[in-house]
Amino acid sequence: MSAYQNDIKAVAALKEQYGSSWSAINPESVARMRAQNRFKTGLEIAQYTADIMRKDMAEYDADSSVYTQSLGCWHGFIGQQKLISIKKHLKTTNKRYLYLSGWMVAALRSDFGPLPDQSMHEKTAVSDLIEELYTFLRQADSRELDLLFTALDAAREAGDTAKAAEIQNQIDNYETHIVPIIADIDAGFGNPEATYLLAKRMIEAGACCIQIENQVSDEKQCGHQDGKVTVPHADFLAKIAAVRYAFLELGIDNGVIVARTDSLGAGLTKQIAVTNEPGDLGDLYNSFLDCEEVSPADLSNGDVILNREGKLLRPKRLPSNLFQFRAGTGEDRCVLDCITSLQNGADLLWIETEKPHVGQIKAMVDRIREVIPNAKLVYNNSPSFNWTLNFRQQVFDAMVAEGKDVSAYDRANLMSVDYDDSELAQVADEKIRTFQRDGSAHAGIFHHLITLPTYHTAALSTDNLAKGYFADQGMLAYVKGVQRQEIRQGIACVKHQNMAGSDIGDNHKEYFAGEAALKASGKDNTMNQFG
């Protein structure tokens, strides 16, 4: 017997127990409301989605072709529509997640208005967005099930038992819109205690996976901008531990931690690491510093000195009071960061790169896997990369290496529209199309995400509408470019009243008041024009 039928039976027994005072209660209506409210708390969601991620990670370890994907969302509605689209077109949410981008929280969710990605926004905006995303995903469940309940009633009324049985089967085997969210906690928004407190809020809101980066919290920069400053490993590992403690305190024992390293593009550190003996982690961190050998006579007031194998070394300190690493050490530091993080509680890695290049990523992952064989990445397929230019240049360079004629192309101008139909551009586009598949097969990428896609799609679609609407197209710009496309493509939001919950409310009114219910879905509701 299905959970739906069990609920009907259980409520019927309860109704009988309470007698005539419950005469207005319909057990099947209660069963429907329970089905529409499967997840009662954020912790239930966190546990459910953590189980999904752990299963997906194990399946990827067995077969690297079954990688996972997500798109970044800055509003609950955006996340909801993404999952509705996935279910409509792909029939299942399997291996598809959501990503919560700190960049988009800063740019779009702060009370201060648009902010750069520097952890200046309210930290609780992050946990609030997680809660909002899951509220909208739960509403998507409620709406879709409501449509099935309405169809079930219609089939029963028509006496179509076969149709009723088919719909009942869909209800009994319903796949939820609830999927894992990989949630960005930036650099932890303060000391480890602050990281722990915010991680708790995020988990309580439903997060099963928290991504944290090794930058200095109060100097944090976007991963694709200059001026990034990293912290010694001990500092970062304390924050990883803080997140793990938050998961364990709340009972999500299999919560997932993504350790992100920005070391590839970060040439600065704020601190000299504490070291107790040669070769320890602090000493390894310091070994990458750009130093000059000095004698006691060379020392100036305020100098910081390292003693390495009997030599006095002075790290180069900038006017900002930051110390710089030696040029060319980024990949080595990334590899050390990743191994250390996995050895100290992290589950997945994130290496922030300056370009999308499978070979570059693979080279680092191969070195990590010499120590941690099942190391896996979450990779940022970032809109901060010029994908067209990068891949056209990669193809151009490969053609040169193969001795092919490239005289028809100007490498410095490969972004030109003049090349859009060229053979080089077609090869580059195919490499872009297969980038995720290739990266997962060869470079250990378990999860591919685009951080800011809906930021850009919102801007693009608004521009397309505005340039026609405010010019000579008027309403045709909206009708032809938006509404007609919604109708043709079966976009559920064309019935925006239904999407906002109007029909769910009507059914609830009928549960509560019976024939006396005042419903919005009558003959004068203009949503009827959409069939």
Side-chain angles (χ1 to χ4, degrees):
M1 186 178 292
S2 69
Y4 184 77
Q5 297 298 331
N6 281 334
D7 279 337
I8 294 174
K9 184 177 179 180
V11 176
L14 196 61
K15 176 180 177 179
E16 184 175 349
Q17 176 184 337
Y18 279 89
S20 61
S21 65
W22 279 30
S23 61
I25 301 299
N26 182 329
E28 185 163 16
S29 296
V30 176
R32 291 179 176 186
M33 296 174 81
R34 287 182 176 179
Q36 290 172 297
N37 190 28
R38 172 180 171 181
F39 299 97
K40 309 299 188 293
T41 69
L43 288 179
E44 288 184 15
I45 291 172
Q47 186 60 73
Y48 172 78
T49 52
D51 292 343
I52 291 174
M53 277 200 74
R54 291 291 179 176
K55 174 185 71 68
D56 288 346
M57 290 162 66
E59 290 177 359
Y60 176 81
D61 285 340
D63 180 359
S64 61
S65 69
V66 289
Y67 57 88
T68 57
Q69 298 168 292
S70 67
L71 294 174
C73 300
W74 53 271
H75 192 278
F77 178 73
I78 301 296
Q80 177 198 67
Q81 293 305 301
K82 177 199 157 186
L83 266 296
I84 288 174
S85 178
I86 286 171
K87 289 193 70 177
K88 180 178 74 172
H89 294 294
L90 304 172
K91 310 307 179 188
T92 179
T93 62
N94 186 39
K95 304 289 187 293
R96 284 103 188 181
Y97 303 170
L98 292 178
Y99 179 66
L100 185 153
S101 161
W103 192 101
M104 284 209 284
V105 173
L108 298 169
R109 303 287 305 210
S110 174
D111 286 345
F112 293 102
L115 293 173
D117 185 18
Q118 297 174 0
S119 291
M120 295 191 292
H121 55 280
E122 306 86 347
K123 65 177 71 175
T124 53
V126 181
S127 52
D128 289 348
L129 179 53
I130 295 168
E131 183 176 9
E132 179 182 291
L133 284 163
Y134 280 127
T135 297
F136 274 78
L137 293 182
R138 290 165 66 193
Q139 197 266 0
D141 280 358
S142 185
R143 172 191 164 273
E144 193 168 67
L145 282 164
D146 187 70
L147 294 173
L148 288 173
F149 297 147
T150 300
L152 178 62
D153 289 340
R156 287 173 175 174
E157 188 174 345
D160 190 341
T161 55
K163 185 66 174 177
E166 175 192 337
I167 297 169
Q168 185 63 61
N169 183 62
Q170 293 179 52
I171 294 169
D172 293 341
N173 295 286
Y174 182 75
E175 183 182 48
T176 177
H177 292 82
I178 298 293
V179 298
I181 291 175
I182 296 176
D184 185 0
I185 199 172
D186 282 10
F189 286 90
N191 63 24
E193 175 70 5
T195 301
Y196 152 77
L197 292 171
L198 179 55
K200 276 184 62 177
R201 285 282 293 265
M202 293 167 69
I203 298 161
E204 289 167 338
C208 73
C209 178
I210 293 176
Q211 165 219 330
I212 186 165
E213 62 202 56
N214 70 332
Q215 292 192 49
V216 176
S217 188
D218 61 350
E219 302 282 0
K220 182 258 189 300
Q221 297 279 7
C222 171
H224 292 115
Q225 292 188 301
D226 207 352
K228 294 184 291 297
V229 184
T230 63
V231 296
H233 295 90
D235 296 36
F236 187 52
L237 297 180
K239 291 188 177 181
I240 289 176
V243 176
R244 180 62 66 202
Y245 271 104
F247 273 124
L248 292 172
E249 178 184 336
L250 295 172
I252 312 301
D253 298 345
N254 59 348
V256 180
I257 299 174
V258 179
R260 168 175 151 177
T261 173
D262 282 89
S263 292
L264 191 63
L268 303 170
T269 184
K270 198 170 189 178
Q271 299 163 269
I272 305 295
V274 173
T275 173
N276 297 310
E277 59 184 45
D280 66 12
L281 200 51
D283 186 53
L284 289 173
Y285 186 81
N286 295 339
S287 71
F288 294 112
L289 291 169
D290 189 4
C291 300
E292 56 183 347
E293 187 175 353
V294 295
S295 67
D298 298 322
L299 300 182
S300 302
N301 185 46
D303 277 349
V304 174
I305 300 299
L306 301 178
N307 182 350
R308 180 169 293 129
E309 298 178 350
K311 296 180 179 179
L312 296 181
L313 301 177
R314 179 168 55 196
K316 292 182 181 178
R317 183 156 55 181
L318 305 178
S320 60
N321 204 29
L322 300 171
F323 300 94
Q324 68 182 32
F325 292 110
R326 297 193 314 277
T329 62
E331 287 201 6
D332 290 339
R333 287 183 282 125
C334 275
V335 171
L336 180 61
D337 294 343
C338 291
I339 292 171
T340 303
S341 295
L342 291 176
Q343 289 175 331
N344 290 274
D347 303 291
L348 295 168
L349 302 171
W350 175 316
I351 300 175
E352 195 76 309
T353 65
E354 83 287 1
K355 60 181 179 293
H357 193 291
V358 171
Q360 178 196 38
I361 303 163
K362 181 181 185 303
M364 288 184 279
V365 171
D366 285 348
R367 292 174 62 189
I368 297 163
R369 284 184 164 179
E370 291 175 4
V371 181
I372 315 286
N374 69 338
K376 294 179 285 296
L377 295 187
V378 171
Y379 186 71
N380 178 7
N381 293 227
S382 178
S384 293
F385 304 143
N386 185 331
W387 285 75
T388 301
L389 181 60
N390 268 287
F391 275 86
R392 288 182 182 182
Q393 288 178 341
Q394 289 179 38
V395 172
F396 180 95
D397 293 343
M399 291 172 67
V400 170
E402 295 166 7
K404 293 183 178 180
D405 180 11
V406 293
S407 59
Y409 305 105
D410 175 6
R411 190 183 187 280
N413 195 36
L414 287 176
M415 189 64 201
S416 171
V417 68
D418 295 338
Y419 295 126
D420 281 359
D421 295 324
S422 68
E423 180 183 359
L424 182 148
Q426 292 170 12
V427 174
D429 280 355
E430 178 61 12
K431 287 185 174 295
I432 293 170
R433 187 184 72 83
T434 64
F435 173 80
Q436 295 190 346
R437 183 187 69 194
D438 296 340
S440 292
H442 304 299
I445 300 176
F446 159 73
H447 185 81
H448 288 275
L449 60 89
I450 308 178
T451 44
L452 321 174
T454 50
Y455 178 89
H456 292 280
T457 55
L460 178 62
S461 61
T462 301
D463 182 78
N464 287 334
L465 174 61
K467 69 184 177 184
Y469 178 75
F470 291 107
D472 63 341
Q473 294 297 300
M475 271 307 295
L476 184 60
Y478 172 76
V479 172
K480 186 176 180 180
V482 180
Q483 188 180 79
R484 193 177 298 163
Q485 296 306 311
E486 288 180 305
I487 295 169
R488 299 285 186 256
Q489 296 179 45
I491 305 299
C493 273
V494 75
K495 296 185 180 182
H496 47 258
Q497 307 286 16
N498 171 267
M499 184 59 64
S502 179
D503 293 336
I504 295 172
D506 274 358
N507 286 331
H508 286 174
K509 290 174 187 177
E510 193 167 6
Y511 297 166
F512 307 152
E515 293 182 357
L518 180 63
K519 296 163 67 173
S521 57
K523 63 181 179 62
D524 292 328
N525 188 324
T526 61
M527 287 291 101
N528 296 332
Q529 296 172 19
F530 297 97

